[in-house]
Amino acid sequence: MNRVTFPLMTDNVRLGVAGLTHGHVWGIIDNWKKIPGVELVAVADASEVLPKAIGFAHQYTDWREMLAKHVFDVLIVTSDNVESTEIAITALEKGIPCFVEKAMAASGADADRMLAAQAKKGALLMINWPLAWNAWVYELKRQMDAGAVGNVFHLKFRIGHHGPKEIGCGPEFYGWLYDESKNGGGAIADFGGYGAALALFLLGKPESVYCIRGNFTKDYPVPDDHAIIVLRYPKGSAVLEGTWATFGWDESANPVVHGAKGTLAVYGNQLKKHVAGAEAEEVAITALEHSSPAEYFLHCLRSGKAPAGILNPTLSADACRIIDAAKEANRTGVEQKLW
């Protein structure tokens, strides 16, 4: 159940933040600060970065104490993938709408617990994947659904960088990213989830999954720094790569969708269609109606509508299940059936 039963009926928004160890949190807070009527009520975090959260009326080291003392219209949940689950469940059961930064959870089982908590009172739950704010995602889907390249049989997508520590993430962030018990994996959880969510949005649920993951380049322990996930569909496949091991990218398209009559390919923010015997055709991309995650969350909250696409928690829970199966496939060497 993703229906929101208690739409927000006021222009004033009482905002709380639970967790500051997810490195995306600072950009998210800045995004919310731009929304008129947002009141920065309280923030909670047990790490040494708490003083960086300026502008909030109250600060706590315990998110439970914060939730007990304040009323919120929106709670941003930005801790590690395990604690974020516990925060979200507690808040949702109180009827507090939750904006959870990706990934949804460290496992499919935890994601299901979040869905169950959301269903109790119908409070809004959105899983924010930064990928969702690229307009090409939706144009690619429209083109596929319109049959622009015929029946689609393959998706290829690669995402990542050369490592959280290497790109400058703080120890409060990479500390849990490198801990499988808190993250759910390494690069496979950090970036493989993007691919799983995109594949679900574009192609639907796969039948099975295979995976190869490992620490191929780091001279310090990480659960994995590169993962290749292969999804099997009834008449197609997807190859998804998540990496903490790549220093540069080639100039080829990413993602790429192959159909029986042509190929759709994304180059940066451009979408092109390739067919045999003709020059590549650039496809016009429709601008997003809501290009801000904060604005879109409030739109859902005020309209009572569930988040769409890869922002929907049911889809994000399925992405968690794909990552679970991928890890098991890598462990056993056996393709894992899904659903």
Side-chain angles (χ1 to χ4, degrees), residues 63-72 94:
W63 58 267
R64 291 178 178 84
E65 181 183 4
M66 181 184 75
L67 292 183
K69 289 185 174 180
H70 299 279
V71 175
F72 298 107
K94 291 176 177 286

Side-chain angles (χ1 to χ4, degrees), residues 20 35 51 57 63-64 110 114 131 135 149 166 178 181 186-187 193 217 220 223 225 230 236 255 264 272 329:
L20 295 171
I35 303 296
W63 58 267
R64 291 178 178 84
D110 277 354
M114 292 170 69
L131 182 66
V149 291
E166 287 80 2
Y178 294 164
S181 70
T217 69
Y220 54 88
D225 69 355
V230 181
L264 292 165
K272 294 184 179 182

Side-chain angles (χ1 to χ4, degrees), residues 261-274:
K261 298 180 180 179
T263 295
L264 292 165
V266 178
Y267 301 84
N269 290 316
Q270 285 187 320
L271 175 62
K272 294 184 179 182
K273 181 170 72 172
H274 300 262

